[in-house]
């Protein structure tokens, strides 16, 4: 008896089809052929081609979210944790671009097709930055009046090292030096202790 077709199997096959044909040429029929089923079977799990493409994009992004989530280490200071988290994200993005540029380009295209997917991705990753900053505030290592806004500012300040639009810059031999300089500035800003004025105002 043949195994029942699952959404996960369809998504895995879709990723391979996208890798082979690219987002412009890949079709639901191609996915069905790869699975040895009718395209109607695929549509029973995903009502439209757009829904399938969004689902496979979220699957890819969820793998990134999970991998980054596992990098939290309570033994590190908030400064070291933030530096480590940003470095790991940069390394992951840079490696995916250099080792599998076709798939990287494909998913960059898919992410750009759906603003909700972009928001979903940012919510997860900026949320992880916020957790690190909040931990630093709790231990009085970091100073900020608004953790969420500060986390977004950190994300924006470091986007050259993780936004796909800057991928061509990641091969620059001095890019790691630039990363270290920017992250050092970010950490120094977070650790800045405001000096009360003579009147006692912060």
């Amino acid at each position: 008896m043949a195994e029942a077709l699952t959404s996960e199997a369809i998504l895995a096959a879709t990723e391979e089809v996208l890798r082979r044909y690219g987002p412009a040429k890949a079709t639901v029929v191609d996915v069905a052929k790869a699975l040895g089923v009718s395209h109607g079977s695929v549509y029973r799990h995903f009502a439209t081609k757009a829904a399938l493409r969004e689902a496979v994009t979220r699957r890819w992004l969820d793998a990134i979210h999970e991998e980054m989530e596992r990098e939290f280490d309570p033994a590190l200071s908030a400064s070291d944790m933030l530096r480590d988290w940003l470095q790991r994200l940069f390394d992951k993005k840079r490696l995916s671009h250099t080792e599998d540029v076709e798939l990287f380009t494909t998913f960059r295209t898919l992410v750009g097709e759906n603003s909700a997917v972009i928001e979903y991705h940012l919510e997860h990753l900026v949320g992880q930055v916020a957790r690190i900053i909040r931990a630093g505030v709790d231990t009085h290592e970091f100073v900020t009046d608004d953790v969420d806004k500060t986390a977004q500012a950190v994300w924006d300040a470091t986007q050259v090292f993780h936004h796909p639009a800057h991928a061509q810059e990641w091969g620059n031999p001095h890019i790691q030096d630039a990363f270290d300089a920017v992250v050092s500035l970010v950490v120094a800003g977070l650790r800045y202790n405001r000096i009360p004025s003579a009147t006692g105002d912060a």
Side-chain angles (χ1 to χ4, degrees):
M1 181 178 176
E3 292 185 9
L5 184 63
T6 65
S7 295
E8 183 61 25
I10 293 172
L11 293 176
T14 301
E15 183 171 316
E16 287 305 312
V17 167
L18 285 165
R19 184 195 298 270
R20 188 180 312 139
Y21 300 114
K25 296 182 179 180
T27 67
V28 174
V29 172
D30 293 325
V31 175
K33 285 181 178 178
L35 291 164
V37 301
S38 69
H39 64 279
S41 298
V42 175
Y43 281 125
R44 278 193 285 275
H45 289 264
F46 300 96
T48 65
K49 177 181 177 181
L52 177 58
R53 288 162 76 98
E54 179 178 345
V56 76
T57 305
R58 284 178 182 265
R59 178 179 182 268
W60 181 64
L61 294 177
D62 282 340
I64 297 175
H65 302 158
E66 182 178 354
E67 184 173 340
M68 294 305 300
E69 189 75 30
R70 288 201 301 262
E71 303 303 337
F72 284 91
D73 184 351
L76 295 176
S77 68
S79 296
D80 287 342
M81 191 179 298
L82 180 60
R83 188 184 302 274
D84 178 71
W85 190 93
L86 290 168
Q87 181 71 66
R88 289 178 183 275
L89 180 63
F90 180 34
D91 290 344
K92 179 171 182 58
K93 292 293 186 76
R94 182 166 45 177
L95 188 64
S96 66
H97 176 252
T98 56
E99 291 201 342
D100 199 342
V101 64
E102 292 83 4
L103 192 62
F104 181 88
T105 302
T106 290
F107 277 105
R108 178 181 173 183
T109 299
L110 294 182
V111 169
E113 289 179 353
N114 192 318
S115 60
V117 169
I118 296 174
E119 292 174 7
Y120 173 77
H121 186 46
L122 293 181
E123 179 182 351
H124 277 77
L125 293 185
V126 177
Q128 290 186 29
V129 174
R131 281 180 52 197
I132 297 172
I133 294 173
R134 188 170 290 108
V137 171
D138 290 344
T139 59
H140 307 291
E141 182 180 350
F142 291 159
V143 177
T144 178
D145 295 325
D146 191 320
V147 168
D148 291 334
K149 286 185 178 179
T150 301
Q152 184 63 57
V154 170
W155 182 262
D156 293 342
T158 57
Q159 68 173 313
V160 70
F161 308 109
H162 53 72
H163 195 292
H166 296 280
Q168 295 304 319
E169 301 172 48
W170 299 342
N172 186 309
H174 303 294
I175 194 68
Q176 184 62 48
D177 291 338
F179 172 89
D180 291 338
V182 170
V183 174
S184 292
L185 284 173
V186 166
V187 169
L190 287 167
R191 298 179 69 175
Y192 171 69
N193 292 313
R194 293 169 296 174
I195 301 175
S197 67
T199 60
D201 295 329

